[in-house]
């Protein structure tokens, strides 16, 4: 039973990533090594973030009574992810959609392997069934959509042919994406929302961000003829 539960978790968390890679057309572009390169930059970025957090944000920051400010400053370190994704995008040749998907999927795969593989191996193989592992797997699928949307927003932000009135919206979506986890965690904690409702809230917010991003991207892509 425990092995069956572990297999279900692995399938739920990794098959959507595989299907996204396969049916997005990246396999036809031979983008595997570019995805691996994106994963390498992800690991380097996380190392830099850990060094910054360990240096400037010690564990006893909550003792100062500035929990909200401290968590906000810690979340600000996630801006390094935007820089890392920007570097990945600049290192990938090709059209806009292939660059965005390669960078986004490669970054998301690296994140899910480093943050979920050991967690599932240690926890999901336990003697007792727990819904939290299913929830974490579903949350990883939400993260896949978020990373692709964030990568698309970075690509849009770097374009010089985008309408000027859309630039503030793209910037606002990028900033919100950076602080999304902090904001949603505060809402969940304040409203005392359960884990399933919290997962639903995250999926709805991510869907809204992705929808806005898709509309902006589709408009620009149609205007410059990259479809």
């Amino acid at each position: 039973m425990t092995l069956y539960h572990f297999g279900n978790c692995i399938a739920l968390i990794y098959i959507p990533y595989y299907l996204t890679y396969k049916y997005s057309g990246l396999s036809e572009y031979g983008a595997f090594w570019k995805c691996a390169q994106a994963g390498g930059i992800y690991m380097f970025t996380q190392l830099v973030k850990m060094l910054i957090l360990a240096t400037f944000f010690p564990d006893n920051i909550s003792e100062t009574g500035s929990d909200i400010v401290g968590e906000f400053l810690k979340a600000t370190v996630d801006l390094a992810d935007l820089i890392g994704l920007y570097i990945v995008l600049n290192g990938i040749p090709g059209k806009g959609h292939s660059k965005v998907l390669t960078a986004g999927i490669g970054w998301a795969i690296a994140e899910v392997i480093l943050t979920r593989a050991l967690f599932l191996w240690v926890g999901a193989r336990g003697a007792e069934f727990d819904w939290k592992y299913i929830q974490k797997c579903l949350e990883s699928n939400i993260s896949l959509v978020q990373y692709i949307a964030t990568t698309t927003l970075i690509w849009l932000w770097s374009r010089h042919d985008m309408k000027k009135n859309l630039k503030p919206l793209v910037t606002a979506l990028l900033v919100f994406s950076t602080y999304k986890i902090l904001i949603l965690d505060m809402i969940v904690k304040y409203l005392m929302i359960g884990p399933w409702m919290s997962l639903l809230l995250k999926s709805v917010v991510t869907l809204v961000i992705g929808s806005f991003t898709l509309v902006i991207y589709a408009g620009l892509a149609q205007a410059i003829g990259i479809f």
Side-chain angles (χ1 to χ4, degrees), residues 187-204:
I187 293 174
V188 169
K189 183 178 179 180
Y190 182 76
L191 298 179
M192 294 183 290
I193 299 176
W196 287 108
M197 287 302 298
S198 172
L199 190 65
L200 178 61
L201 177 63
K202 293 177 181 178
S203 62
V204 170

Side-chain angles (χ1 to χ4, degrees), residues 13-31:
I13 197 172
Y14 289 112
I15 286 182
Y17 283 73
Y18 170 76
L19 293 178
T20 303
Y21 176 83
K22 181 176 177 61
Y23 291 104
S24 63
L26 292 183
S27 57
E28 300 176 1
Y29 287 96

Side-chain angles (χ1 to χ4, degrees), residues 170-187:
V170 171
T171 304
L173 288 173
L174 276 173
V175 173
F176 180 77
S177 297
T178 301
Y179 295 99
K180 186 189 76 169
I181 296 178
L182 174 63
I183 295 172
L184 294 182
D185 286 346
M186 291 177 62
I187 293 174

